[in-house]
């Protein structure tokens, strides 16, 4: 979730609507306070709870036409169409967040990732991409915070019990970023303003937290504790962007 003031943007909803309601409660929030649900792509781990949550609370769903085409008929009236490189602004004045959608190579219909800006800070989100493209580098440079996929360790994936087709899917150009690819991105972009780096979409079978963290530590030369992992079960607390 990305928030500013009373603007709350939920990005994807892979959990059931009930589970998300419970998790919102921990932050003293109710679903009707959500400004919108943004959907990156139609894979189950990103949309499972979207339909019920949006329908029950009449929340707008922002998604590309390709992604929206995979959503149920009965929520199509809630869909607002996202187009790559066409920014849109959500929330009331003073709490506005502008969203910049950009394309990623992933085996979905029209996957999009996002950069969020409030006029002062830039927060970048990148998950579910098989490789890094110039468009991705350009979008994510000079962010104040980054949520970045480091899905697997290439060696662990190669040796894992996954069947070959799945190894090829996950490790392929339309699959998921491995630790090294995530680190390479960090080396290429401007990370000098980075206040937070949260690693996400970490495979439970083909990666470990320390391998993922280590490769990013090496890439940006930061302290280990600077980087955190977004774990599915625990989630994580608010991170704040501040100017010193
Ligand atoms: Zn995913
Ligand atoms: Zn995916």
């Amino acid at each position: 979730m990305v928030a500013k003031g009373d603007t709350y943007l939920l990005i994807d909803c892979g959990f059931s609507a009930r589970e998300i309601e419970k998790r919102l409660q921990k932050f003293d929030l109710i679903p009707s306070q959500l400004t919108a649900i943004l959907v990156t792509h139609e894979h189950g781990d990103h949309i499972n709870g979207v339909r019920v949550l949006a329908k029950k609370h009449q929340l707008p769903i922002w998604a590309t036409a390709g992604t929206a085409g995979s959503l149920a008929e009965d929520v199509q009236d809630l869909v607002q169409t996202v187009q790559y490189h066409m920014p849109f602004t959500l929330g009331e004045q003073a709490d506005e967040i502008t969203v910049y959608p950009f394309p990623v190579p992933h085996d979905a219909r029209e996957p999009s990732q996002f950069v969020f800006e409030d006029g002062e800070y830039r927060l970048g989100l990148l998950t579910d991409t098989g490789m890094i493209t110039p468009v991705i580098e350009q979008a994510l440079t000079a962010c104040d915070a980054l949520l970045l996929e480091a899905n697997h360790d290439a060696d662990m994936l190669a040796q894992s019990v996954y069947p070959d087709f799945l190894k090829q899917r996950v490790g392929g150009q339309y699959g998921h970023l491995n630790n090294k690819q995530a680190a390479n991105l960090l080396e290429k972009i401007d990370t000098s303003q980075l206040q937070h780096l949260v690693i996400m979409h970490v495979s439970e079978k083909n990666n470990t937290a320390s391998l993922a963290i280590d490769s990013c530590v090496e890439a940006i030369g930061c302290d280990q504790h600077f980087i955190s992992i977004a774990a599915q079960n625990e989630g994580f607390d608010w991170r704040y962007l501040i100017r010193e």
Side-chain angles (χ1 to χ4, degrees):
M1 197 157 49
V2 175
K4 180 183 185 177
D6 290 328
T7 303
Y8 295 99
L9 310 182
L10 181 68
I11 326 301
D12 291 337
C13 187
F15 297 118
S16 69
R18 183 170 297 197
E19 175 65 23
I20 267 296
E21 284 168 13
K22 257 201 318 208
R23 288 179 181 230
L24 286 172
Q25 227 168 49
K26 279 198 218 161
F27 296 102
D28 289 322
L29 288 170
I30 52 171
S32 58
Q33 282 176 276
L34 293 174
T35 309
I37 307 173
L38 279 65
V39 184
T40 60
H41 65 297
E42 71 275 18
H43 289 159
D45 55 326
H46 299 262
I47 67 160
N48 279 338
V50 169
R51 177 180 164 265
V52 174
L53 188 72
K55 205 174 152 59
K56 193 166 156 198
H57 305 284
Q58 289 297 297
L59 300 170
I61 302 169
W62 288 79
T64 61
T67 301
S70 300
L71 293 168
E73 202 56 52
D74 61 355
V75 289
Q76 292 298 331
D77 58 330
L78 297 170
V79 171
Q80 303 279 342
T81 306
V82 168
Q83 282 178 282
Y84 295 143
H85 309 300
M86 297 280 278
F88 53 96
T89 299
L90 297 171
E92 301 291 324
Q93 241 177 12
D95 291 341
E96 280 178 353
I97 300 175
T98 300
V99 185
Y100 295 82
F102 60 93
V104 290
H106 189 57
D107 53 1
R109 289 188 187 183
E110 196 182 357
S112 178
Q113 297 292 316
F114 306 108
V115 169
F116 303 89
E117 283 189 19
D118 73 341
E120 199 170 3
Y121 302 110
R122 279 162 57 74
L123 183 157
L125 168 73
L126 180 68
T127 182
D128 295 69
T129 182
M131 57 183 167
I132 300 297
T133 63
V135 165
I136 294 175
E137 287 170 18
Q138 210 171 24
L140 296 181
T141 199
C143 277
D144 299 279
L146 260 183
L147 288 137
L148 175 63
E149 165 173 71
N151 175 260
H152 58 279
D153 172 80
D155 294 332
M156 281 182 76
L157 178 67
Q159 286 154 29
S160 83
V161 294
Y162 276 20
D164 280 348
F165 81 89
L166 199 54
K167 286 183 187 178
Q168 274 156 22
R169 203 221 124 211
V170 171
Q173 296 195 322
Y174 294 89
H176 292 273
L177 283 191
N178 63 39
N179 296 341
K180 208 170 181 171
Q181 288 171 300
N184 282 344
L185 171 70
L186 291 171
E187 278 166 4
K188 280 197 164 167
I189 59 175
D190 174 4
T191 54
S192 60
Q193 295 165 52
L194 212 54
Q195 296 184 31
H196 301 283
L197 175 58
V198 178
I199 301 297
M200 56 186 294
H201 219 295
V202 179
S203 167
E204 283 172 359
K205 294 201 175 75
N206 302 317
N207 208 355
T208 65
S210 66
L211 280 174
I213 289 174
D214 285 352
S215 29
C216 296
V217 162
E218 212 174 303
I220 56 174
C222 64
D223 190 90
Q224 238 182 348
H225 302 290
F226 179 72
I227 300 172
S228 43
I229 301 258
Q232 245 182 63
N233 294 334
E234 304 99 69
F236 61 99
D237 205 354
W238 290 115
R239 299 296 157 94
Y240 296 90
L241 285 168
I242 41 162
R243 286 269 183 264
E244 273 145 28

